[in-house]
Amino acid sequence: MFEQTQDEMDQRFMREALRVAERALESEDVPVGAVVVRDRNVIGRGYNQREHLQDPTAHAEVLALTAAAEQRGSWRLDGCTMYVTLEPCPMCAGALVLARMDRLVFGAYDPKGGACGSLYEISNDARLNHRIETVGGVLAGPSAELLRAFFRHRRSLGEK
């Protein structure tokens, strides 16, 4: 049987996160998608639902973590990898650390709010009790283009 390399696996699951991100468009929310993977199986999915739920914490990562924890029957998500289309913000990076996530793979960097390499290094802060192996820039082009298209559309409607 053909074994996928880590890079191939990362791209495969990032494509799944991109598919999930497109669901956010239905509720006119910023198209960010996340999947949690354990043993090559997706155990949690989430996409931004702040507008739909009117909840400032309804980020893709938080919703995917909640789904994965429910699936596992534990808040401890050791042995899992999160794939998310945009570099996590401080809230989400903190949630990933608290969930004991092993790996984080993200698409586009977020120079204005990213907390896993751009503005902050929460995922690898030695002062915290857990660190996460972090890989950024996987399918960054398609991830960034989905966001750019969303904001271009919003601006064309006169919205911010």
Side-chain angles (χ1 to χ4, degrees):
M1 186 172 134
F2 172 73
E3 281 294 316
Q4 288 184 315
T5 66
Q6 187 64 62
D7 285 346
E8 290 168 333
M9 292 263 296
D10 288 349
Q11 289 184 25
R12 172 183 158 205
F13 288 115
M14 187 60 71
R15 281 191 294 277
E16 175 65 18
L18 282 162
R19 283 190 289 276
V20 173
E22 291 176 356
R23 295 190 58 196
L25 296 172
E26 297 167 13
S27 58
E28 299 179 12
D29 215 322
V30 178
V32 176
V35 296
V36 177
V37 174
R38 182 173 172 89
D39 299 327
R40 298 179 180 225
N41 294 304
V42 175
I43 63 167
R45 290 179 174 81
Y47 57 93
N48 275 2
Q49 294 190 55
R50 291 177 305 166
E51 297 297 333
H52 176 70
L53 298 175
Q54 289 301 298
D55 178 353
T57 68
H59 288 207
E61 298 95 325
V62 171
L63 297 173
L65 285 173
T66 299
E70 185 175 322
Q71 172 72 23
R72 285 202 69 200
S74 175
W75 61 267
R76 289 179 181 89
L77 297 176
D78 53 298
C80 295
T81 300
M82 174 169 284
Y83 294 87
V84 60
T85 58
L86 180 65
E87 180 183 359
C89 71
M91 175 185 71
C92 293
L96 292 166
V97 169
L98 293 173
R100 311 298 194 268
M101 187 70 52
D102 280 5
R103 280 183 85 230
L104 164 66
V105 179
F106 66 86
Y109 282 86
D110 184 356
K112 293 182 179 181
C116 298
S118 290
L119 290 179
Y120 306 102
E121 248 329 312
I122 292 173
S123 59
N124 285 297
D125 190 320
R127 296 170 294 180
L128 300 175
N129 66 338
H130 181 75
R131 279 163 290 296
I132 304 168
E133 177 189 341
T134 303
V135 179
V138 175
L139 297 183
S143 296
E145 183 50 39
L146 185 60
L147 291 162
R148 278 193 296 270
F150 172 78
F151 287 111
R152 259 194 315 270
H153 175 70
R154 295 284 298 259
R155 284 191 299 275
S156 75
L157 299 174
E159 300 173 10
K160 288 185 177 184

